[in-house]
Amino acid sequence: MSLWTQKNRIVITCAKGIAPFLKEEVLSLGLPILSEGIADVETEGTMEDAIKLNLFLRTGQRVLFLLEEFNAKRPDELYNKVSRIKWEDIIPEDGYLCVTSSVETSTIKDSRFANLKCKDAIVDRMNEKCGRRPDSGPKRDRTVIHLYWKDERCQIYVDTSGEPLSRRGYRRIPLRAPMQETLAASVILATGWKGNGNFINPMCGSGTLAIEAAMIALNKAPGLLRNNYGFMHLKGFNESSWNALRKKTRVIAKKSLNGRIIATDISQEAIEAAKKNATTAGVAHLMEFGVCGYSETPVPKGGGVVVLNPEYGERLGEIEKLKEVYKGIGDFFKKKCQGYKGYIFTGNLDLAKKVGLKTKRRIPFFNSNIECRLLEYDLYEGSRKMQAPISK
Ligand SMILES: C[S@@+](CC[C@H](N)C(=O)[O-])C[C@H]1O[C@@H](n2cnc3c(N)ncnc32)[C@H](O)[C@@H]1O
């Protein structure tokens, strides 16, 4: 059966803690969930489904389409079994190949050796069948094959994403401590904001949260901005049906928002970057930007969500200064954000205590390897139901 017609397992990887949001996204695209791990979700479908997942998923990192699975104990066995796959039907012989892997097996100490064996098996077969072979190396901008080898079980996937899906293509201006796009999207999904009410984002930095919020509210596919994916570098890729899908997706995206999106930061440089990034993402015209301290951020009537991602601090001196910032966020919530749901995304729970308000929910996340929480506060309207302060 051809790569383009067979239905197979599809593993979608994600950052730790994000799988519950990814699972909901996969289900809403009409695909089943076969399993859910800490950092992946498994579904099944055709290569066409894998392409849709690349275009529509906001929280996934890589979409891996299973080609073959088998048992192998040693590297030579891996080589032999990988050689049996009809690579000449999958990879263009004048293309470029990258092999990635996740290896946990007793016969391999260095996963690079497993990559090499797998790559050799592919290019040797292609040389034999086609008289030439693709170049190979570490760049993930063309065909990417992924080897998963645990104990004796091997799975060979096409990484249909190539570059990770967090690289949406709009964040061209790097700033300090930006949040990964997929994490920012998960944070918005966790708040439940879909364009209902206003979205207020003081301390916006490079604008990732506000940009992802705009794209969610517009129902704009996050993958539309990117023009390169791994699946485009497979034999049989149909460019015109991909373009037709993109066109259809553009048509269904909304053109305007009900609420306002306000993004501010104390740093002029951050706001310049956020504006540029939002322009690249095609959502700047729907956002309001301002240079100001977080407590000066305008919070219009009508409710919605206020989301802040303050620094967590690494050195002692920084943490001392940040205590005041976190305390000030609590005051800002109490004084200016009544009728809103307030959120703080932080990796420092001691600092979060300085906010001085009772949390309604504490949603676990990871930012790289740092365990974080998205803290939710109900900021009721009126003085009585306003947050009860908690003891510090
Ligand atoms: C961790 S970064 C936010 C990163 C952002 N989520 C992103 O994806 O780029 C924290 C931001 O808070 C801003 N900031 C620090 N102190 C502030 C203050 N008192 N008022 C407003 N913004 C402040 C910094 O300039 C920085 O851009």
Side-chain angles (χ1 to χ4, degrees):
M1 234 198 302
S2 140
L3 175 69
W4 294 92
T5 51
Q6 66 178 291
K7 196 171 180 184
N8 227 338
R9 292 217 307 272
I10 299 173
V11 173
I12 309 153
T13 66
C14 61
K16 253 199 293 184
I18 285 181
F21 303 99
L22 176 58
K23 178 180 155 190
E24 289 307 314
E25 283 202 285
V26 172
L27 286 171
S28 73
L29 290 170
L31 292 170
I33 300 296
L34 303 185
S35 70
E36 180 185 337
I38 296 174
D40 66 82
V41 161
E42 200 179 3
T43 181
E44 65 177 353
T46 60
M47 186 57 84
E48 215 174 286
D49 293 319
I51 290 178
K52 283 191 189 142
L53 289 165
N54 276 288
L55 183 59
F56 290 107
L57 286 180
R58 299 182 193 280
T59 61
Q61 195 70 334
R62 292 174 187 283
V63 180
L64 306 173
F65 186 84
L66 184 70
L67 286 178
E68 284 292 341
E69 58 183 330
F70 48 78
N71 281 353
K73 285 192 186 132
R74 298 174 314 277
D76 56 334
E77 214 177 330
L78 172 78
Y79 178 96
N80 288 335
K81 291 189 174 167
V82 173
S83 305
R84 289 184 205 154
I85 301 172
K86 292 183 175 168
W87 295 106
E88 62 280 9
D89 294 344
I90 298 172
I91 306 176
E93 47 274 23
D94 56 355
Y96 176 95
L97 164 72
C98 170
V99 178
T100 60
S101 67
S102 164
V103 178
E104 252 181 82
T105 189
S106 57
T107 55
I108 295 275
K109 299 231 162 18
D110 183 343
S111 70
R112 283 174 301 181
F113 184 60
N115 286 7
L116 194 68
K117 274 288 178 200
C118 189
K119 186 268 293 171
D120 283 349
I122 298 171
V123 297
D124 289 352
R125 177 175 174 121
M126 289 190 64
N127 237 341
E128 194 191 309
K129 300 282 176 192
C130 317
R132 60 187 293 201
R133 48 155 285 188
D135 284 340
S136 61
K139 287 191 275 181
R140 295 178 183 198
D141 59 352
R142 279 157 283 171
T143 315
V144 182
I145 300 299
H146 183 74
L147 159 70
Y148 180 81
W149 192 358
K150 187 159 172 26
D151 304 325
E152 287 180 18
R153 199 73 187 143
C154 281
Q155 287 158 346
I156 308 288
Y157 296 92
V158 176
D159 181 342
T160 63
S161 308
E163 299 282 1
L165 296 181
S166 57
R167 301 210 187 126
R168 307 259 203 259
Y170 64 74
R171 211 161 59 186
R172 306 248 167 96
I173 316 279
L175 273 186
R176 215 179 133 220
M179 194 183 254
Q180 211 175 47
E181 293 88 328
T182 39
L183 175 59
S186 311
V187 166
I188 313 293
L189 295 177
T191 70
W193 192 80
K194 293 189 179 114
N196 37 321
N198 304 308
F199 185 88
I200 314 298
N201 181 207
M203 300 184 147
C204 72
S206 55
T208 324
L209 282 161
I211 294 169
E212 291 295 326
M215 294 208 292
I216 287 173
L218 294 174
N219 198 18
K220 187 172 171 149
L224 273 177
L225 295 165
R226 240 172 84 158
N227 54 17
N228 189 26
Y229 289 93
F231 61 75
M232 294 176 168
H233 305 278
L234 297 172
K235 270 193 177 170
F237 166 63
N238 185 332
E239 197 172 349
S240 53
S241 48
W242 164 241
N243 287 334
L245 175 66
R246 281 165 58 97
K247 201 168 162 193
K248 209 162 96 191
T249 309
R250 277 207 184 89
V251 172
I252 56 171
K254 288 190 215 157
K255 306 286 174 275
S256 61
L257 298 174
N258 295 332
R260 291 166 67 181
I261 297 185
I262 299 176
T264 68
D265 199 286
I266 203 161
S267 149
Q268 171 85 40
E269 189 197 358
I271 289 300
E272 289 307 318
K275 276 187 190 165
K276 285 199 179 113
N277 292 336
T279 303
T280 310
V283 293
H285 60 292
L286 300 168
M287 295 165 66
E288 298 165 55
F289 296 95
V291 178
C292 64
Y294 62 88
S295 58
E296 305 308 317
T297 304
V299 183
K301 288 222 175 316
V305 301
V306 189
V307 187
L308 293 96
N309 168 214
E311 273 133 11
Y312 332 142
E314 277 157 28
R315 286 176 289 274
L316 208 58
E318 281 171 1
I319 290 181
E320 277 311 308
K321 279 192 206 140
L322 283 169
K323 284 182 183 167
E324 280 309 303
V325 174
Y326 279 71
K327 185 173 170 296
I329 294 174
D331 296 339
F332 168 66
F333 276 172
K334 271 188 286 191
K335 289 191 189 126
K336 281 186 76 174
C337 305
Q338 295 184 21
Y340 275 76
K341 281 206 286 180
Y343 292 89
I344 300 177
F345 183 91
T346 182
N348 189 325
L349 288 176
D350 281 337
L351 280 173
K353 286 184 193 143
K354 298 288 165 201
V355 173
L357 300 173
K358 193 159 163 280
T359 49
K360 186 175 177 211
R361 285 196 300 161
R362 298 162 157 251
I363 306 160
F365 279 103
F366 282 84
N367 193 0
S368 303
N369 275 330
I370 304 175
E371 198 178 336
C372 297
R373 293 282 183 279
L374 178 67
L375 305 170
E376 180 180 301
Y377 304 88
D378 250 341
L379 309 168
Y380 298 110
E381 204 108 42
S383 53
R384 181 188 65 84
K385 293 201 187 96
M386 196 53 213
Q387 281 283 325
I390 54 162
S391 49
K392 287 177 210 162

